[in-house]
Every structure is written in structure tokens, then in C-alpha cells.
Amino acid sequence: MMLTKKIIPLALMLATSLLLTACGEEPAADKDTYLLEGAWTLRHVSHPYGTERSYTVTGSGTACMVYAGDSAYYECMLAATPSGLVIMPTNQGSVTLIDNGGGERLYLENGDPHPLTVSGDTLMTIQRDGAQYTYARADNIYKEWGQDICDIVAREQSADGERTHNRYVLSAKERRQQQQIRWFGSFSAVVALVALLAAHLAVTNRRARRRLQLQLQQIEEVQQNRPQQVRQAVASVEHQFFASDDYAALQRRMGSGERLRDDDWRQVEQYLRGVYPGFGSQLRSLHPLSELEYHVCLLIKLRIAPKDIAQVLARDVSTISTVRSRLYQKVFGHKGGAKEWDDFVLSIG
């Protein structure tokens, strides 16, 4: 039972992780915050002699910088089309940011220093050779194609640093198909996992039910196969106990509704062990019992009336009746009344 309780949460966590991955979402995790990380597309260039030029991702396209943290960049020419992106890898290099204070930063691109400013985390301006290059953050491109761009640029960067000028088409349709395939694969894995879990639970429940049936059968056989002398001895001990002053005093306390302390419950258990040595162990072996359920069973065995049990345990009579009928269903696997549970409790031990 404890193993099953551990398996279920683990299975649900794994299933959730698979579905999140299939949907393109990673489980939340602690992550460092970087200033440049992401994709940036060139939007505007201003030269010191007055020439200016603007760029867009449509048409002939523009330059794109994809930063991995604040330590590496992957550069390409990029053009958006209705069906996806066309990219041409151009460069890969290292980056170092130096904070000069007051919002001023020095940007070292492969060791070459350039002044850099970032406005509102959406626009970035880099000075190169006197010209100002303004880039706009492109979160949609980074989210959808960032890893693909980095992989292609890294692969195309030749050993001697020469550019290959190959062009690659990143198809949105193919990406959706890949996502659907991943989703279907993850969904199939979840279904298989659930099926395995259901099979495990079914086997576990069958074994538990079989074990319980054997225990009930053994209890019944012990009761039926008791020699007459043992039956008479048990009846004699029962008669002596229920006629004793201790039992009379206990009944008076129950009838008055007095709550029992921990010491009192230990005394009750001691009384029962003296009369029914195997009662407690047999009862607990049948099903895990809460404290309330166990105390109800002890008082049933002591022939305490349900209304007095309710008073002693500070519960409604209806609650005590529900506890008894629920215990019967837990142990026997089908519905039964409170009186049927009482009869069973009185028969064991």
C-alpha cells in the first residue's frame, strides 16, 4: 500500500513532464537572468556622415543576433516568409559585457570593445566603427527558432572561420508536424504509463484482497475449530470479566459520557488482551485503522452501546454508525450495515 502511494505521485509528475515537453514548455526551474539572452534583429543603422537605413525581417530580410546568455552569440541573415524563415549563417563568436555604471556598458565582441546601451529591454544599440546599429528584441523568433539558428550557425562555422553562405529554410509547417509527432509520442507514453499503473494497481488490489480473504478464512477456521474445552475457558474468562467491578466501573464512565485519556485507552487495551489475546493483532492485520476506527472497535468489543460510544468519542451517533458500516465495506469489499460489523468484531479474538 505504501509503495502504491509513492508510485502514483511519481507517475503523475512524469506524465505532466512529458506533456509539458510535448507542448514545447519546460518545467519551471531556477535560471540566471542575462541582459542579452535571446534573439535580436537589426532594425536601423546610423552612420556618422548622416546616412541612415532601416531594415525589416520581411522582404530581403535583416541581420539577426542570437545570444546564449551573455557569453556567446550566433549571427545570421534572416528573412521571414509566410511559410517560415530563411537564414544564412554568417558568424559565431564570444561576448563579454562590462558594466561601467550609470547604465553605460562596454560590449566586447570577440575582444573588440563597443559601447552598448539597452532601452527598456526591447531595443539594443551597439556602436561599431562610428556607426550605431539598433536591434529590436525578437522573442517570437527566439522561442520558435532560437535553438535551430544556433545549431545551424555552429555547424556551418568552418574550422578556418570562412563563411559558407549556405541558406536554410526553417518551415513552420514542418515545425508544427514535429510538435504534433512529439505530442503524439508523449501522449502515447502517458497512456502507456497510465495503463501500466492501472495494471499495477489491479494486481496490487487483487493480491491485497486475496491476502485479506485468507486472513478472514483463518480467523473463521480458528473460531470454528476451537476445542470445546477452549470455548468453555474463553466463555468463563468473558463471564468473569463482564461481571467484574472493573467492567462495571468502566460502563459507568461510558454511560456518563466521560472522555478517556491516553492512560485510560491503554487500560482498555490491557483489559481486552487479558480476555482476547489475539484481538488487537487480528483486527489491525485486516486493514489500516485510524485512531477513531480503532477506538470504536475496542468499545464494540467491550459491549458498549453505540450511543455511549458516541458520547465517549464526542461524535454523533450517525458518525459512529457510518464508521462501522464503512469498516465493513473496507474489509469485506461490499456494503454492509453497522450491526454486521459489530457481529464480526465480536466474533474475533
Side-chain angles (χ1 to χ4, degrees):
M1 185 64 71
M2 291 300 295
L3 180 60
T4 301
K5 290 181 179 179
K6 292 180 180 179
I7 289 175
I8 293 176
L10 289 174
L12 291 177
M13 289 175 62
L14 179 57
T16 302
S17 177
L18 287 171
L19 288 176
L20 285 175
T21 302
C23 294
E25 299 180 8
E26 295 295 332
D30 293 336
K31 183 179 179 181
D32 294 331
T33 301
Y34 298 103
L35 180 68
L36 301 180
E37 183 174 52
W40 301 79
T41 56
L42 181 63
R43 293 301 179 87
H44 191 79
V45 178
S46 298
H47 294 278
Y49 43 81
T51 304
E52 296 186 1
R53 184 175 179 181
S54 297
Y55 301 86
T56 65
V57 296
T58 57
S60 59
T62 186
C64 177
M65 305 282 285
V66 178
Y67 291 92
D70 287 342
S71 60
Y73 72 89
Y74 302 84
E75 186 178 13
C76 67
M77 296 300 296
L78 177 149
T81 68
S83 60
L85 295 178
V86 178
I87 69 168
M88 183 179 72
T90 55
N91 198 15
Q92 174 186 357
S94 61
V95 172
T96 303
L97 278 181
I98 300 175
D99 192 343
N100 294 329
E104 295 184 2
R105 296 180 177 86
L106 192 63
Y107 173 85
L108 280 75
E109 188 176 283
N110 292 326
D112 296 330
H114 308 284
L116 176 143
T117 58
V118 176
S119 304
D121 196 40
T122 57
L123 292 177
M124 172 179 67
T125 301
I126 303 174
Q127 292 188 23
R128 297 191 185 101
D129 301 325
Q132 291 187 338
Y133 294 78
T134 300
Y135 293 81
R137 186 180 288 278
D139 289 335
N140 57 332
I141 292 176
Y142 182 67
K143 181 179 179 181
E144 185 74 13
W145 308 105
Q147 190 59 54
D148 296 284
I149 293 173
C150 292
D151 292 342
I152 291 172
V153 173
R155 186 170 61 246
E156 284 293 301
Q157 186 74 21
S158 60
D160 55 6
E162 295 181 357
R163 300 178 182 177
T164 60
H165 301 292
N166 291 328
R167 285 177 169 79
Y168 295 83
V169 177
L170 302 180
S171 170
K173 180 178 179 180
E174 290 181 1
R175 172 55 59 86
R176 287 194 298 271
Q177 290 175 341
Q178 291 174 356
Q179 290 175 340
Q180 290 172 354
I181 292 172
R182 286 199 301 269
W183 185 91
F184 180 77
S186 298
F187 179 76
S188 300
V190 170
V191 171
L193 181 63
V194 172
L196 287 174
L197 179 59
H200 170 78
L201 291 176
V203 171
T204 301
N205 289 335
R206 281 200 300 271
R207 288 176 178 174
R209 180 57 55 189
R210 178 59 179 164
R211 184 168 58 251
L212 181 58
Q213 290 174 348
L214 291 175
Q215 290 172 328
L216 292 172
Q217 184 178 349
Q218 290 172 355
I219 291 173
E220 184 178 359
E221 289 176 353
V222 168
Q223 302 297 329
Q224 292 178 349
N225 297 330
R226 278 182 175 175
Q228 185 62 30
Q229 296 88 340
V230 175
R231 293 175 183 271
Q232 291 175 351
V234 171
S236 175
V237 173
E238 285 181 332
H239 176 75
Q240 291 177 8
F241 172 70
F242 290 116
S244 68
D245 293 337
D246 289 336
Y247 181 70
L250 184 62
Q251 273 197 317
R252 287 193 296 271
R253 291 184 64 180
M254 301 293 178
S256 66
E258 181 180 346
R259 298 290 300 275
L260 299 185
R261 301 182 300 272
D262 291 342
D263 290 343
D264 297 323
W265 285 113
R266 283 191 286 270
Q267 185 66 45
V268 168
E269 290 181 311
Q270 185 176 344
Y271 286 152
L272 288 174
R273 279 196 298 269
V275 183
Y276 311 104
F279 174 73
S281 60
Q282 288 180 341
L283 185 64
R284 289 188 180 278
S285 69
L286 296 175
H287 194 279
L289 300 176
S290 68
E291 183 179 68
L292 173 63
E293 292 171 338
Y294 183 60
H295 286 169
V296 168
C297 293
L298 294 182
L299 297 180
I300 292 172
K301 194 65 174 175
L302 288 172
R303 314 300 200 270
I304 304 301
K307 63 180 183 63
D308 294 333
I309 294 177
Q311 283 188 322
V312 170
L313 297 177
R315 298 290 198 281
D316 294 334
V317 175
S318 60
T319 300
I320 300 303
S321 178
T322 300
V323 169
R324 292 146 64 206
S325 58
R326 187 175 59 220
L327 279 171
Y328 186 92
Q329 183 170 0
K330 286 180 179 179
V331 171
F332 290 93
H334 56 84
K335 291 184 178 180
K339 182 62 169 58
E340 292 175 283
W341 177 251
D342 293 352
D343 293 340
F344 171 71
V345 170
L346 294 174
S347 71
I348 64 177

